Amino acid sequence: MEPVRTCVGCRARAPRSALLRVVRVDSSLIPDVRASMPGRGAWVHETSECMDAAIRRRAFVRALRASGPLDTQTLSEHLQRNG
């Protein structure tokens, strides 16, 4: 049975394979496509609606326990390439 995770954007539960893991490297959000990077991760659907909701609600900051704003440029570029 596949593990279930919660999307930080829409708060819906989904199988791990249906979500994208995002990690924080310094103050940037980096997509972890293989879900193998070390550290704390946040899970999100790979849609612009869920990404925008997570950024607007500061869900990545809370989920990754960051103390300040996070740079979302790398994450946005990934979404544009794969979305």
Side-chain angles (χ1 to χ4, degrees), residues 5-81:
R5 301 287 184 258
T6 302
C7 173
V8 296
C10 66
R11 304 294 300 156
R13 294 171 54 87
R16 181 178 150 163
S17 62
L19 300 171
L20 173 69
R21 183 173 186 254
V22 178
V23 296
R24 177 175 59 109
V25 176
D26 297 325
S27 64
S28 297
L29 292 175
I30 306 294
D32 182 9
V33 178
R34 293 187 183 149
S36 62
M37 291 178 74
R40 194 163 183 82
W43 296 85
V44 65
H45 286 109
E46 211 166 339
T47 64
S48 59
E49 292 83 16
C50 285
M51 295 277 189
D52 292 342
I55 292 167
R56 186 178 60 250
R57 293 178 30 238
R58 298 176 37 93
F60 287 121
V61 173
R62 280 193 307 278
L64 300 173
R65 297 182 181 166
S67 58
L70 298 171
D71 180 20
T72 61
Q73 181 178 357
T74 307
L75 191 59
S76 297
E77 289 170 359
H78 173 81
L79 182 62
Q80 289 174 356
R81 278 193 308 268

